[in-house]
């Protein structure tokens, strides 16, 4: 089935259900090059940091290490062989402080080294709000609503116009309908 342009974009954007993380480009600006994200890298405590490695050249071996991440995660060292793309998920502890740790990425068996700083933040506090439920339909209070009365009168006058063909009755039925709707609308506000 062929979708119009925006539909595949929306389908692929939410395919896995949460944020795709940060992208690190390998071999894009040269052999064994490592291009890290320009934006500030943040991870919420109690969640996972996802780093997607995209290789733009020949398959590459990279090493990701962290010497000061012990307070934030159990992650210490990872070796990846990236052919096209690979995803590294680093779990962040729930009881982490709001600090930062460094990730070092080495390629070409240590020839090129890049460092990224990851800032750990606390997730925003969730405020519970109690929403008042309103009835979907108006509740009857014993006597007919003015709009219903106006609709009944307009229907009778319109039927009289159908049989007599007096133009005034047609115009009068629509004016009564409009007046009833406007009265009901402005009465609610």
């Amino acid at each position: 089935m062929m979708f119009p342009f925006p539909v595949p974009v929306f389908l692929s954007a939410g395919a896995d259900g949460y944020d795709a993380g940060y992208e690190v480009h390998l071999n894009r600006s040269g052999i064994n090059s490592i291009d890290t994200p320009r934006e500030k890298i943040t991870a919420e405590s109690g969640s996972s940091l996802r780093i997607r490695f995209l290789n733009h050249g020949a398959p590459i071996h990279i090493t990701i290490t962290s010497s000061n991440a012990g307070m934030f995660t159990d992650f210490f060292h990872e070796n990846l062989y990236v052919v096209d793309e690979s995803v590294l998920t680093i779990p962040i502890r729930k009881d982490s402080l709001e600090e930062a740790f460094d990730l070092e990425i080495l390629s070409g068996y240590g020839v090129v080294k890049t460092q990224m700083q990851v800032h750990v933040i606390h997730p925003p506090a969730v405020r519970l709000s109690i929403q008042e439920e309103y009835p979907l339909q108006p509740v009857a209070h014993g006597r007919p609503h003015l709009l219903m009365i106006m609709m009944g009168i307009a229907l009778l006058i319109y039927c009289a116009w159908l049989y007599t063909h007096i133009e005034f009755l047609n115009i009068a039925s629509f004016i009564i309908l409009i007046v009833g709707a406007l009265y009901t609308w402005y009465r609610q506000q």
Side-chain angles (χ1 to χ4, degrees):
M1 173 180 225
M2 192 65 158
F3 292 109
F5 173 71
V7 173
V9 172
F10 291 128
L11 291 177
S12 65
D16 59 356
Y18 61 93
D19 185 24
Y22 297 94
E23 292 183 351
V24 174
H25 296 272
L26 307 170
N27 289 327
R28 182 166 67 176
S29 57
I31 298 174
N32 293 327
S33 67
I34 304 168
D35 299 327
T36 58
R38 293 183 181 174
E39 70 266 14
K40 181 178 176 181
I41 299 172
T42 59
E44 290 183 357
S45 57
S47 67
S48 295
L49 171 66
R50 293 186 64 202
I51 302 173
R52 192 169 142 204
F53 294 96
L54 299 170
N55 188 5
H56 297 277
I60 187 171
H61 179 263
I62 59 172
T63 303
I64 302 102
T65 62
S66 180
S67 59
N68 62 347
M71 297 186 310
F72 307 101
T73 181
D74 293 329
F75 172 79
F76 173 69
H77 182 87
E78 184 75 32
N79 289 321
L80 293 176
Y81 184 71
V82 183
V83 177
D84 290 325
E85 95 175 47
S86 183
V87 176
L88 174 66
T89 303
I90 301 173
I92 307 296
R93 290 188 188 130
K94 193 173 230 174
D95 59 347
S96 298
L97 300 175
E98 285 194 354
E99 300 264 338
F101 65 93
D102 298 321
L103 285 177
E104 294 176 353
I105 304 170
L106 298 125
S107 69
Y109 300 102
V111 174
V112 178
K113 178 181 174 183
T114 302
Q115 188 170 357
M116 298 184 336
Q117 192 171 39
V118 178
H119 298 273
V120 177
I121 59 171
H122 291 294
V126 178
R127 294 184 65 197
L128 297 176
S129 62
I130 300 172
Q131 294 182 349
E132 191 175 327
E133 291 187 22
Y134 296 103
L136 295 177
Q137 297 178 353
V139 179
H141 293 292
R143 61 177 197 241
H145 199 273
L146 183 64
L147 179 61
M148 296 297 151
I149 294 171
M150 300 289 265
M151 286 173 57
I153 294 170
L155 180 64
L156 290 175
I157 293 173
Y158 187 76
C159 289
W161 170 76
L162 283 175
Y163 289 112
T164 62
H165 296 291
I166 300 172
E167 282 300 315
F168 174 74
L169 295 176
N170 185 18
I171 296 169
S173 67
F174 282 105
I175 289 175
I176 290 173
L177 272 177
I178 291 170
V179 167
L182 289 175
Y183 173 76
T184 304
W185 177 267
Y186 287 114
R187 193 177 128 224
Q188 290 178 0
Q189 294 180 357

